[in-house]
Short mmCIF file of all heavy atoms in Angstrom, two decimals:
data_model
loop_
_atom_site.label_atom_id
_atom_site.label_comp_id
_atom_site.label_asym_id
_atom_site.label_seq_id
_atom_site.Cartn_x
_atom_site.Cartn_y
_atom_site.Cartn_z
N TYR A 121 4.06 -4.63 -26.58
CA TYR A 121 2.65 -5.02 -26.57
C TYR A 121 1.75 -3.87 -26.99
O TYR A 121 0.86 -4.03 -27.84
CB TYR A 121 2.27 -5.52 -25.17
CG TYR A 121 0.79 -5.73 -24.99
CD1 TYR A 121 0.19 -6.93 -25.37
CD2 TYR A 121 -0.01 -4.72 -24.47
CE1 TYR A 121 -1.18 -7.12 -25.23
CE2 TYR A 121 -1.38 -4.90 -24.33
CZ TYR A 121 -1.95 -6.09 -24.71
OH TYR A 121 -3.31 -6.27 -24.58
N LEU A 122 1.97 -2.70 -26.42
CA LEU A 122 1.11 -1.56 -26.70
C LEU A 122 1.28 -1.05 -28.12
O LEU A 122 0.32 -0.61 -28.75
CB LEU A 122 1.36 -0.44 -25.69
CG LEU A 122 0.86 -0.73 -24.27
CD1 LEU A 122 1.33 0.33 -23.31
CD2 LEU A 122 -0.66 -0.83 -24.25
N ARG A 123 2.51 -1.11 -28.64
CA ARG A 123 2.72 -0.71 -30.04
C ARG A 123 1.95 -1.62 -30.99
O ARG A 123 1.42 -1.17 -32.01
CB ARG A 123 4.21 -0.72 -30.38
CG ARG A 123 4.94 0.55 -29.96
CD ARG A 123 6.27 0.67 -30.68
NE ARG A 123 7.20 -0.38 -30.29
CZ ARG A 123 8.14 -0.24 -29.36
NH1 ARG A 123 8.26 0.91 -28.71
NH2 ARG A 123 8.95 -1.23 -29.07
N ALA A 124 1.89 -2.90 -30.64
CA ALA A 124 1.16 -3.84 -31.48
C ALA A 124 -0.35 -3.74 -31.28
O ALA A 124 -1.13 -3.96 -32.21
CB ALA A 124 1.62 -5.27 -31.17
N LYS A 125 -0.76 -3.39 -30.07
CA LYS A 125 -2.17 -3.37 -29.71
C LYS A 125 -2.86 -2.08 -30.17
O LYS A 125 -3.97 -2.10 -30.70
CB LYS A 125 -2.32 -3.52 -28.19
CG LYS A 125 -3.74 -3.47 -27.66
CD LYS A 125 -4.47 -4.75 -27.89
CE LYS A 125 -5.87 -4.71 -27.26
NZ LYS A 125 -6.64 -5.92 -27.54
N ILE A 126 -2.21 -0.95 -29.93
CA ILE A 126 -2.83 0.35 -30.21
C ILE A 126 -1.85 1.20 -31.00
O ILE A 126 -0.74 1.48 -30.55
CB ILE A 126 -3.20 1.08 -28.90
CG1 ILE A 126 -4.05 0.18 -27.99
CG2 ILE A 126 -3.94 2.37 -29.20
CD1 ILE A 126 -4.30 0.76 -26.62
N LYS A 127 -2.27 1.65 -32.16
CA LYS A 127 -1.41 2.49 -32.98
C LYS A 127 -1.27 3.87 -32.36
O LYS A 127 -2.21 4.44 -31.83
CB LYS A 127 -2.00 2.61 -34.39
CG LYS A 127 -1.91 1.32 -35.20
CD LYS A 127 -2.41 1.54 -36.61
CE LYS A 127 -2.27 0.26 -37.43
NZ LYS A 127 -2.76 0.45 -38.81
N ASP A 128 -0.04 4.40 -32.45
CA ASP A 128 0.26 5.76 -31.97
C ASP A 128 -0.04 5.94 -30.48
O ASP A 128 -0.35 7.04 -30.03
CB ASP A 128 -0.52 6.81 -32.77
CG ASP A 128 -0.20 6.73 -34.26
OD1 ASP A 128 0.99 6.52 -34.59
OD2 ASP A 128 -1.13 6.86 -35.06
N VAL A 129 0.03 4.86 -29.73
CA VAL A 129 -0.21 4.98 -28.29
C VAL A 129 1.00 5.62 -27.62
O VAL A 129 2.15 5.38 -28.00
CB VAL A 129 -0.49 3.60 -27.66
CG1 VAL A 129 0.74 2.71 -27.72
CG2 VAL A 129 -0.95 3.75 -26.21
N LYS A 130 0.72 6.43 -26.64
CA LYS A 130 1.79 7.03 -25.84
C LYS A 130 1.78 6.36 -24.47
O LYS A 130 0.84 6.50 -23.71
CB LYS A 130 1.58 8.53 -25.69
CG LYS A 130 2.70 9.22 -24.92
CD LYS A 130 2.45 10.72 -24.83
CE LYS A 130 3.57 11.39 -24.02
NZ LYS A 130 3.33 12.86 -23.90
N LEU A 131 2.83 5.61 -24.19
CA LEU A 131 2.92 4.89 -22.92
C LEU A 131 3.70 5.70 -21.91
O LEU A 131 4.83 6.12 -22.16
CB LEU A 131 3.61 3.53 -23.13
CG LEU A 131 3.94 2.75 -21.84
CD1 LEU A 131 2.68 2.37 -21.09
CD2 LEU A 131 4.76 1.51 -22.17
N ASP A 132 3.07 5.91 -20.77
CA ASP A 132 3.74 6.53 -19.63
C ASP A 132 3.84 5.45 -18.56
O ASP A 132 2.86 5.14 -17.89
CB ASP A 132 2.91 7.73 -19.15
CG ASP A 132 3.51 8.40 -17.91
OD1 ASP A 132 4.55 7.93 -17.42
OD2 ASP A 132 2.91 9.36 -17.42
N PHE A 133 5.02 4.85 -18.44
CA PHE A 133 5.20 3.71 -17.54
C PHE A 133 6.18 4.09 -16.43
O PHE A 133 7.27 4.60 -16.69
CB PHE A 133 5.73 2.51 -18.31
CG PHE A 133 6.07 1.32 -17.44
CD1 PHE A 133 5.07 0.47 -17.00
CD2 PHE A 133 7.38 1.07 -17.06
CE1 PHE A 133 5.38 -0.62 -16.20
CE2 PHE A 133 7.69 -0.01 -16.25
CZ PHE A 133 6.69 -0.86 -15.82
N LYS A 134 5.80 3.80 -15.18
CA LYS A 134 6.69 4.10 -14.07
C LYS A 134 6.62 2.99 -13.03
O LYS A 134 5.56 2.42 -12.78
CB LYS A 134 6.31 5.43 -13.41
CG LYS A 134 6.63 6.66 -14.24
CD LYS A 134 6.28 7.94 -13.50
CE LYS A 134 6.57 9.18 -14.35
NZ LYS A 134 6.18 10.43 -13.66
N ILE A 135 7.78 2.70 -12.46
CA ILE A 135 7.87 1.84 -11.29
C ILE A 135 7.76 2.74 -10.06
O ILE A 135 8.50 3.71 -9.92
CB ILE A 135 9.20 1.08 -11.25
CG1 ILE A 135 9.41 0.27 -12.54
CG2 ILE A 135 9.29 0.20 -10.02
CD1 ILE A 135 8.50 -0.91 -12.71
N ILE A 136 6.81 2.43 -9.20
CA ILE A 136 6.52 3.30 -8.07
C ILE A 136 6.88 2.62 -6.75
O ILE A 136 6.55 1.45 -6.53
CB ILE A 136 5.02 3.67 -8.04
CG1 ILE A 136 4.61 4.38 -9.34
CG2 ILE A 136 4.70 4.55 -6.84
CD1 ILE A 136 5.24 5.72 -9.55
N ASN A 137 7.55 3.35 -5.89
CA ASN A 137 7.80 2.87 -4.53
C ASN A 137 6.50 2.98 -3.74
O ASN A 137 5.97 4.08 -3.57
CB ASN A 137 8.91 3.72 -3.89
CG ASN A 137 9.31 3.19 -2.52
OD1 ASN A 137 8.53 2.55 -1.82
ND2 ASN A 137 10.54 3.46 -2.12
N SER A 138 6.00 1.87 -3.29
CA SER A 138 4.69 1.86 -2.63
C SER A 138 4.65 2.73 -1.38
O SER A 138 3.59 3.22 -1.00
CB SER A 138 4.28 0.43 -2.28
OG SER A 138 5.21 -0.17 -1.41
N LYS A 139 5.78 2.93 -0.76
CA LYS A 139 5.82 3.78 0.45
C LYS A 139 5.33 5.19 0.17
O LYS A 139 4.83 5.87 1.06
CB LYS A 139 7.25 3.84 1.01
CG LYS A 139 7.62 2.67 1.88
CD LYS A 139 8.94 2.94 2.57
CE LYS A 139 9.25 1.83 3.58
NZ LYS A 139 10.50 2.11 4.32
N ASN A 140 5.52 5.62 -1.07
CA ASN A 140 5.21 7.01 -1.43
C ASN A 140 3.95 7.16 -2.26
O ASN A 140 3.69 8.24 -2.79
CB ASN A 140 6.39 7.61 -2.21
CG ASN A 140 7.69 7.51 -1.46
OD1 ASN A 140 7.73 7.69 -0.24
ND2 ASN A 140 8.77 7.20 -2.16
N ASP A 141 3.15 6.10 -2.37
CA ASP A 141 1.99 6.19 -3.25
C ASP A 141 0.78 5.45 -2.66
O ASP A 141 0.79 4.23 -2.53
CB ASP A 141 2.33 5.60 -4.63
CG ASP A 141 1.31 5.96 -5.68
OD1 ASP A 141 0.20 5.40 -5.64
OD2 ASP A 141 1.60 6.81 -6.55
N ASP A 142 -0.26 6.21 -2.32
CA ASP A 142 -1.45 5.64 -1.71
C ASP A 142 -2.18 4.67 -2.63
O ASP A 142 -2.76 3.68 -2.17
CB ASP A 142 -2.42 6.76 -1.31
CG ASP A 142 -1.93 7.58 -0.13
OD1 ASP A 142 -1.12 7.05 0.65
OD2 ASP A 142 -2.37 8.74 0.02
N ILE A 143 -2.17 4.95 -3.95
CA ILE A 143 -2.94 4.11 -4.86
C ILE A 143 -2.24 2.77 -5.08
O ILE A 143 -2.91 1.73 -5.21
CB ILE A 143 -3.18 4.81 -6.22
CG1 ILE A 143 -3.66 6.25 -5.99
CG2 ILE A 143 -4.21 4.03 -7.03
CD1 ILE A 143 -4.94 6.38 -5.20
N ILE A 144 -0.92 2.77 -5.13
CA ILE A 144 -0.19 1.50 -5.19
C ILE A 144 -0.47 0.68 -3.94
O ILE A 144 -0.66 -0.55 -4.00
CB ILE A 144 1.33 1.75 -5.36
CG1 ILE A 144 1.64 2.17 -6.80
CG2 ILE A 144 2.13 0.50 -5.01
CD1 ILE A 144 1.52 1.06 -7.84
N GLN A 145 -0.52 1.32 -2.80
CA GLN A 145 -0.84 0.62 -1.55
C GLN A 145 -2.24 0.04 -1.60
O GLN A 145 -2.47 -1.10 -1.18
CB GLN A 145 -0.71 1.58 -0.37
CG GLN A 145 0.72 2.03 -0.09
CD GLN A 145 0.80 3.08 1.00
OE1 GLN A 145 0.00 3.09 1.94
NE2 GLN A 145 1.75 3.98 0.89
N LEU A 146 -3.18 0.83 -2.12
CA LEU A 146 -4.55 0.33 -2.25
C LEU A 146 -4.60 -0.86 -3.21
O LEU A 146 -5.32 -1.84 -2.97
CB LEU A 146 -5.46 1.45 -2.75
CG LEU A 146 -6.92 1.05 -3.02
CD1 LEU A 146 -7.61 0.60 -1.73
CD2 LEU A 146 -7.69 2.20 -3.67
#
């Protein structure tokens, strides 16, 4: 999707364990 949407985009994608991340919990 991002390659098609935005040229030369750099995607930093991570699956986060909510136990260890306040923002995921929020």
